[in-house]
Amino acid sequence: ICRIETVIPTSGVIFKVNICDIILSVFFMKFSNCNGKRKVQYESSEPADFKVDEDGMVYAVRSFPLSSEHAKFLIYAQDKETQEKWQVAVKLSLKPALTEESVKEPPEVEEIVFPRQFSKHSGHLQRQKRDWVIPPINLPENSRGPFPQELVRIRSDRDKNLSLRYSVTGPGADQPPTGIFIINPISGQLSVTKPLDREQIARFHLRAHAVDINGNQVENPIDIVINVIDMNDNRPEFLHQVWNGTVPEGSKPGTYVMTVTAIDADDPNALNGMLRYRILSQAPSTPSPNMFTINNETGDIITVAAGLDREKVQQYTLIIQATDMEGNPTYGLSNTATAIITVTDVNDNPPEFTAMTFYGEVPENRVDVIVANLTVTDKDQPHTPAWNAVYRISGGDPTGRFAIQTDPNSNDGLVTVVKPIDFETNRMFVLTVAAENQVPLAKGIQHPPQSTATVSVTVIDVNENPYFAPNPKIIRQEEGLHAGTMLTTFTAQDPDRYMQQNIRYTKLSDPANWLKIDPVNGQITTIAVLDRESPNVKNNIYNATFLASDNGIPPMSGTGTLQIYLLDINDNAPQVLPQEAETCETPDPNSINITALDYDIDPNAGPFAFDLPLSPVTIKRNWTITRLNGDFAQLNLKIKFLEAGIYEVPIIITDSGNPPKSNISILRVKVCQCDSNGDCTDVDRIVGAGLGTGAIIAILLCIIILLILVLMFVVWMKCRDKERQAKQLLIDPEDDVRDNILKYDEEGGGEEDQDYDLSQLQQPDTVEPDAIKPVGIRRMDERPIHAEPQYPVRSAAPHPGDIGDFINEGLKAADNDPTAPPYDSLLVFDYEGSGSTAGSLSSLNSSSSGGEQDYDYLNDWGPRFKKLADMYGGGDD
C-alpha cells in the first residue's frame, strides 16, 4: 500500500489512483493484474463524501470545505470472481497557485520503456527484468491545449549504445484519421495535435516501434491504448419536440398517459449521459396544478390527481425537462419538450330533453310524415357514441303507429307516422318517449341513464275517399235478361262521419255496355241483353266498375266492382264438328267420326242426338249415321259406290237442354279415290283442296293484295317523276320565257314546234360539241371550227336566283367571242311550219326612209353588230 497525493478542487473532482498493480491517473481508477483483466468492484471509506463508479470514476457527492478531516480516505477494490481485495489510500490537498517559475518549467512527462529482451547466458535463457504492462493513457476530450500536447515519452534502454528512431502506427497516427498523434523520432515524445471528441472516437489503439538508423527493429512493438475521457459537452435531445398523448376523462390517479424519450450523445454509462426527467409547468392548472407526474428515469407520464373532466378542460400542455448528470441542476445540461395531453370523452353525461312536453299534428291517413322534433342536450363530445341519442316510445302507442328516428347532424328525434291514423277513431295521441346514448354511462356516474318526455299529437280530419262495401260485390243472374231489368243497388259509404256530404255514382267500366247506374241511389239496371257466351265474360263472370264521388273539399272518389255471375240458359243450338271431312268412294274401309259443338254448358249441352233429315231423299239413301255415345257419332256411306266430289250432308243435332234445342248443321264431305290404305291420293287431295271455299278465298285475297301493292308502286313512281319535273321548273310554265330561248345546232320549226328541251337552257354544257359531229353534215352557214370559248357552266340543279347571272355571263362571253355568228355567208333555214300567229316582217314599216335612219348606235351593241355598224353606220358610201 502506498501513499499518494493529488491536487483537486474542493468539490466535484474526479481522479484516478495507481500504486504498483494499482494504476493512478487523473479522473479514473483501475486495478490491473499480470494474469489479465478482472472485474473489480470499488467502494469508498467515506461514502457520504466520495463515491466510486464501476468504471473507476471518483467524484465528490457533496460540496464541503477541504480540511484535514476530509483530506484522507481509502478506496477498496474487490475481485468479483475470486473475492480478492485491495485498498489504496488517497490524500487530497488544495491546488497551489501557479508561479512564473512553475509555468516556465515543463511538466514532467510519464516515460514508457520498452521491456527488456531475454538474453542467452551459458547456453540458457535468462530473464534479466520482469516485462511491463503498459497502462492505457486517459486523455479528456475537448482539451484546450496548447497543442501539440505531450502525452508520454517512449524510450528503449538500448538508446545508450545505439542511435534509435521511434515511430507510432495505427488509426489516428498513420491511418485515418491521420495526424492526430505524432511522435518525435529521436526523443520518442508522443503528442496529440488537436482536441479529441469522444462521441466520434472513444479509444485509439496505437503501436510504438523502435528501429536503428538502418531501419532494423531493435525492440518488439508495444501497444499503447489512449482512452478519450468523456466530458459533459452534449445536451439531451428529445426524439420529438412535441409529444401527443390521450387520457380518458375521470381517470383514476396512477393511470398511464404516455412516455417521452430523450437521448444524450455523451457516455450513457457515465453521469454525463444519465438523464433525469421532470415536469416544469402544466397549463391549465385546473383543477389542480399537479394533475400529472413523470418518472424521472423512464419518462413515463401518469396521472397523479383525480378530476379530469373533458367538459371543463379538454387538453393539457406540459413542459418536460430532461437533464444529464443524473439531473444535477448545477453541473447538468438540460433541454425541454412539449407534451400535449388530450382528455378523451367518456359517457358521463346522459342526454336531457329541452322540454317536458312536445306538440305536433298530422293529417289522417298520412304516413312517413314528421310530426314533431324532439331536442336534447348532451355535454359529451358531439358525434360520438357517448353523444348520439337513441329514442324510443315507452307508452301511448299500443298499435305501433309512430316511430322515432335520430337526425345524425342535430341529434334531434324525428317523430314519424308509420301507419295510417283514422280521425274518426283517434283524434289525439299522447306518447311517452325516452332518450339514451348509444353506449351505457360510465361506471360511477350518478345521473339517471335516460331522460323522458311526452309528445302530444293531434290528428287533423281530412276528406276521405268513399268506399263500396262489399267490394267486389257478386250477384247471380240468368243470362238473357231483357233491357230495363233492375239488377241490384250498389252504394258506397263515406268514412267522414263528421262531414255532411253527398255521394254521386257514375259508370267507370262496362266492356259490353250492358248496365247503367242511378247517380243518386246507385241502382244498377240493364240496358242490353246479358249473354253468358259474350267474349267479355270470363269464367261465367262479367265485371263492371263504378265510381262514387263526394262533394267535399277537395272532392274525393272511390271505385267499386260489380261481378255478375251469369247462369246459363239453353240459347245456343249445337253445331257439327268438324265442318269438313273426307271419305273414300266405297264404304270400306273409312268412316267419318263427328261430334257437336255447343256454346252452352251442362245441362244445356250434351249428350247430343244425331240424325239425318228426310229431305232431300238422297241424303238417307246415300248416307247413314250411327250414334257412338252422347257426344260422338259416325257417318258412313250407305251405298256401295259414290262418285268422287264434294257433298254437303245436313245433320240434325239436338242437345239435352230443357227444352232441348235442335239445329241442322251442314257437313261438307269430300269423296275421293283411295289407295290400298284407305287414304286419298295426292291428286285428289290437290283437287279437293283447290275446290275448297277457304282455299279459294285465300288465293283471291293474296292476288288482290298483290295487285294493290303493284298499283301503289306505280302511282308512287309517277308522283316521284312529277315532283322531279316540278323541281326542275323554276317558275310557272305559262310565264317561263325559256320556252323561246333555245340553242339550236340547226334551225328548227316555227311556233308549231313546241316540243322544247328545257334542260338545254339549264345545262348548256351538255350540248353536243361541234367537234364530234360527223364530217359532211355541217351547214355552210355554221361558224368554222375553232377553239370553244369559255362559256360559264351551270350546275344541274341551279338556284332560281342565279338564272339571270348565268345569262349575263353568257352574253359577255359571246360578245367577246370573234368567232360567234352572224357571218357573211349564205344561210339555209329549215321549214318553220305553217299557220304562224306572227305577222309578216314586211308589215313592219319604218318610221322614216333608210337614208334618213341613223345607224350609229349599232357601234354600241358590241362585236356581234360590228358588221351591221360598218354597213349602215358608215355614212353615204
Side-chain angles (χ1 to χ4, degrees):
I1 301 175
C2 300
R3 189 179 189 86
I4 297 177
E5 293 185 5
T6 184
V7 180
I8 64 170
T10 57
S11 64
V13 177
I14 303 171
F15 60 91
K16 189 173 185 180
V17 294
N18 176 27
I19 300 173
C20 297
D21 285 345
I22 302 176
I23 303 170
L24 175 62
S25 180
V26 181
F27 301 108
F28 285 95
M29 177 174 11
K30 183 177 181 182
F31 285 77
S32 301
N33 187 279
C34 296
N35 297 329
K37 295 182 179 180
R38 294 186 178 186
K39 295 182 179 180
V40 181
Q41 180 179 0
Y42 301 99
E43 292 183 3
S44 172
S45 62
E46 301 293 337
D49 297 330
F50 302 99
K51 184 177 180 181
V52 185
D53 285 342
E54 293 182 357
D55 58 354
M57 180 181 293
V58 180
Y59 62 93
V61 176
R62 62 185 181 89
S63 299
F64 54 86
L66 187 63
S67 61
S68 59
E69 180 183 356
H70 300 95
K72 300 178 181 179
F73 64 95
L74 298 178
I75 295 179
Y76 304 99
Q78 183 177 5
D79 193 316
K80 292 184 179 179
E81 296 180 356
T82 63
Q83 302 298 321
E84 187 176 359
K85 296 183 178 180
W86 302 271
Q87 67 180 18
V88 62
V90 179
K91 180 181 179 182
L92 304 178
S93 62
L94 294 176
K95 182 177 181 181
L98 296 177
T99 63
E100 295 181 359
E101 296 179 356
S102 62
V103 173
K104 294 180 180 179
E105 294 179 358
E108 296 184 0
V109 179
E110 183 180 356
E111 187 176 89
I112 298 176
V113 181
F114 281 91
R116 291 184 180 180
Q117 305 293 325
F118 292 97
S119 63
K120 291 184 179 181
H121 181 70
S122 299
H124 298 282
L125 292 174
Q126 181 179 4
R127 186 171 62 181
Q128 298 177 354
K129 190 176 182 180
R130 183 183 179 187
D131 289 345
W132 287 6
V133 176
I134 306 301
I137 300 173
N138 297 310
L139 184 62
E141 66 174 335
N142 302 325
S143 175
R144 297 184 179 181
F147 296 102
Q149 178 181 352
E150 296 180 352
L151 300 179
V152 69
R153 180 174 298 163
I154 300 173
R155 187 180 65 83
S156 173
D157 56 1
R158 295 188 180 185
D159 60 355
K160 298 177 181 180
N161 302 324
L162 299 174
S163 177
L164 303 181
R165 297 292 183 268
Y166 301 97
S167 64
V168 290
T169 59
D174 61 343
Q175 298 178 16
T178 60
I180 297 179
F181 299 97
I182 59 175
I183 188 170
N184 190 314
I186 298 176
S187 64
Q189 180 68 46
L190 180 65
S191 305
V192 61
T193 61
K194 61 181 179 179
L196 303 181
D197 188 356
R198 190 205 68 85
E199 285 70 42
Q200 295 182 358
I201 301 177
R203 172 178 292 186
F204 293 91
H205 192 177
L206 306 178
R207 303 199 76 183
H209 306 269
V211 297
D212 58 14
I213 58 176
N214 295 323
N216 298 320
Q217 178 177 318
V218 297
E219 298 284 0
N220 290 330
I222 61 174
D223 294 333
I224 300 176
V225 177
I226 300 175
N227 292 326
V228 182
I229 305 304
D230 184 39
M231 303 295 289
N232 191 16
D233 58 343
N234 291 279
R235 291 182 178 275
E237 295 290 340
F238 284 92
L239 298 182
H240 305 286
Q241 193 60 34
V242 178
W243 298 78
N244 293 287
T246 59
V247 61
E249 63 175 331
S251 297
K252 297 180 179 180
T255 302
Y256 171 80
V257 179
M258 62 190 300
T259 299
V260 297
T261 304
I263 57 175
D264 196 318
D266 292 327
D267 188 358
N269 299 319
L271 291 177
N272 298 334
M274 294 182 180
L275 306 182
R276 295 297 183 264
Y277 302 93
R278 70 190 186 100
I279 298 176
L280 296 181
S281 64
Q282 168 191 310
S285 59
T286 57
S288 170
N290 298 316
M291 295 296 296
F292 304 93
T293 186
I294 188 171
N295 188 308
N296 63 346
E297 294 184 2
T298 63
D300 294 341
I301 299 176
I302 60 175
T303 60
V304 71
L308 291 175
D309 190 352
R310 190 204 66 85
E311 287 72 35
K312 295 180 179 179
V313 179
Q314 299 183 3
Q315 183 175 281
Y316 289 90
T317 301
L318 307 180
I319 304 300
I320 309 298
Q321 184 186 59
T323 307
D324 57 15
M325 297 295 293
E326 289 188 331
N328 190 315
T330 303
Y331 304 104
L333 302 177
S334 62
N335 209 338
T336 60
T338 303
I340 299 176
I341 301 175
T342 302
V343 182
T344 59
D345 186 40
V346 299
N347 192 14
D348 56 347
N349 293 280
E352 297 180 1
F353 283 103
T354 58
M356 295 301 298
T357 304
F358 296 88
Y359 299 92
E361 58 183 19
V362 59
E364 63 174 331
N365 301 322
R366 294 282 299 276
V367 295
D368 297 331
V369 177
I370 298 177
V371 177
N373 280 17
L374 310 181
T375 55
V376 295
T377 58
D378 195 321
K379 298 179 181 179
D380 292 322
Q381 185 175 358
H383 306 290
T384 61
W387 178 81
N388 296 334
V390 178
Y391 300 88
R392 59 185 179 87
I393 299 175
S394 58
D397 185 23
T399 57
R401 298 183 181 275
F402 298 91
I404 304 179
Q405 299 177 352
T406 304
D407 188 333
N409 296 322
S410 63
N411 211 26
D412 294 345
L414 308 179
V415 182
T416 309
V417 180
V418 296
K419 293 182 180 180
I421 302 174
D422 188 6
F423 173 81
E424 286 71 25
T425 304
N426 300 99
R427 298 187 180 184
M428 178 175 289
F429 291 87
V430 178
L431 309 177
T432 302
V433 296
E436 56 188 0
N437 292 125
Q438 289 182 349
V439 295
L441 288 176
K443 295 181 179 180
I445 303 302
Q446 303 299 325
H447 300 285
Q450 64 182 13
S451 177
T452 59
T454 59
V455 181
S456 178
V457 180
T458 302
V459 182
I460 302 174
D461 189 16
V462 297
N463 188 21
E464 301 178 71
N465 298 323
Y467 64 93
F468 289 88
N471 189 15
K473 183 177 183 180
I474 302 175
I475 61 174
R476 300 169 66 91
Q477 291 289 341
E478 286 188 352
E479 64 173 331
L481 290 178
H482 298 289
T485 304
M486 199 277 287
L487 298 179
T488 184
T489 300
F490 196 24
T491 58
Q493 300 179 7
D494 192 347
D496 300 312
R497 297 195 302 266
Y498 303 99
M499 297 182 182
Q500 301 298 326
Q501 298 179 148
N502 297 325
I503 299 178
R504 297 187 65 84
Y505 304 94
T506 55
K507 183 171 65 174
L508 191 62
S509 174
D510 184 11
N513 197 25
W514 288 345
L515 308 174
K516 70 175 182 178
I517 187 170
D518 188 280
V520 178
N521 55 26
Q523 288 186 354
I524 298 176
T525 308
T526 62
I527 58 175
V529 178
L530 305 183
D531 185 7
R532 192 196 66 83
E533 291 75 29
S534 170
N536 297 309
V537 178
K538 307 297 181 183
N539 299 324
N540 302 329
I541 297 178
Y542 179 76
N543 291 313
T545 305
F546 299 93
L547 181 69
S549 304
D550 61 20
N551 58 350
I553 300 177
M556 303 300 291
S557 61
T559 60
T561 300
L562 178 65
Q563 293 184 342
I564 305 175
Y565 187 89
L566 294 176
L567 303 176
D568 185 39
I569 63 174
N570 195 13
D571 57 345
N572 292 281
Q575 298 177 1
V576 67
L577 191 71
Q579 296 181 355
E580 295 182 357
E582 62 182 22
T583 186
C584 298
E585 295 176 334
T586 59
D588 294 328
N590 286 343
S591 60
I592 300 173
N593 292 328
I594 62 174
T595 185
L597 174 63
D598 195 334
Y599 292 104
D600 294 325
I601 59 176
D602 291 335
N604 298 320
F608 301 99
F610 301 89
D611 199 0
L612 298 175
L614 298 177
S615 61
V617 294
T618 57
I619 298 302
K620 281 200 172 186
R621 184 180 63 192
N622 296 337
W623 304 91
T624 179
I625 190 168
T626 304
R627 182 180 179 186
L628 300 178
N629 54 37
D631 294 329
F632 292 92
Q634 194 174 75
L635 181 68
N636 296 290
L637 280 175
K638 190 175 183 181
I639 59 179
K640 295 182 179 181
F641 177 81
L642 183 62
E643 185 180 358
I646 302 297
Y647 297 87
E648 293 184 354
V649 180
I651 300 175
I652 302 175
I653 305 176
T654 306
D655 60 21
S656 299
N658 185 18
K661 203 170 188 65
S662 299
N663 181 34
I664 298 177
S665 184
I666 302 300
L667 175 64
R668 299 180 76 254
V669 180
K670 182 182 70 172
V671 179
C672 60
Q673 295 178 2
C674 298
D675 55 14
S676 59
N677 296 325
D679 297 328
C680 290
T681 60
D682 293 339
V683 176
D684 294 336
R685 290 178 181 271
I686 294 173
V687 173
L691 296 177
T693 305
I696 294 175
I697 294 174
I699 293 174
L700 291 176
L701 288 176
C702 291
I703 294 173
I704 293 172
I705 293 174
L706 183 60
L707 290 175
I708 292 174
L709 291 176
V710 172
L711 181 61
M712 292 176 63
F713 179 75
V714 172
V715 173
W716 178 74
M717 289 297 294
K718 286 187 172 294
C719 293
R720 185 178 178 184
D721 291 341
K722 290 182 179 180
E723 291 178 357
R724 185 179 300 171
Q725 294 175 4
K727 290 181 179 179
Q728 294 178 355
L729 297 178
L730 303 178
I731 56 178
D732 188 36
E734 296 180 358
D735 300 330
D736 192 357
V737 297
R738 293 178 296 177
D739 290 351
N740 297 324
I741 304 177
L742 303 177
K743 180 179 180 181
Y744 288 101
D745 284 343
E746 294 181 358
E747 291 291 335
E751 285 80 355
E752 294 180 353
D753 186 6
Q754 296 295 326
D755 189 9
Y756 302 142
D757 185 7
L758 298 181
S759 63
Q760 297 297 321
L761 178 61
Q762 295 180 349
Q763 295 178 333
D765 57 321
T766 59
V767 179
E768 182 182 5
D770 295 335
I772 63 176
K773 286 187 177 182
V775 179
I777 64 172
R778 184 178 301 276
R779 299 203 312 266
M780 296 300 296
D781 59 342
E782 291 185 5
R783 65 181 179 180
I785 299 176
H786 297 285
E788 287 290 332
Q790 297 299 320
Y791 290 93
V793 180
R794 292 188 79 242
S795 60
H799 189 273
D802 65 351
I803 187 66
D805 296 338
F806 172 76
I807 294 175
N808 292 329
E809 292 174 1
L811 180 59
K812 291 180 181 179
D815 291 339
N816 296 323
D817 184 10
T819 62
Y823 300 100
D824 295 336
S825 61
L826 180 62
L827 302 180
V828 179
F829 295 92
D830 288 344
Y831 176 68
E832 295 184 355
S834 62
S836 174
T837 58
S840 174
L841 293 177
S842 61
S843 62
L844 299 177
N845 297 322
S846 177
S847 58
S848 61
S849 64
E852 299 176 354
Q853 181 67 33
D854 184 10
Y855 294 100
D856 291 339
Y857 60 87
L858 294 177
N859 293 321
D860 301 329
W861 285 15
R864 292 179 180 272
F865 299 92
K866 186 176 185 304
K867 197 66 175 179
L868 289 176
D870 293 341
M871 294 173 61
Y872 295 96
D876 296 339
D877 55 349

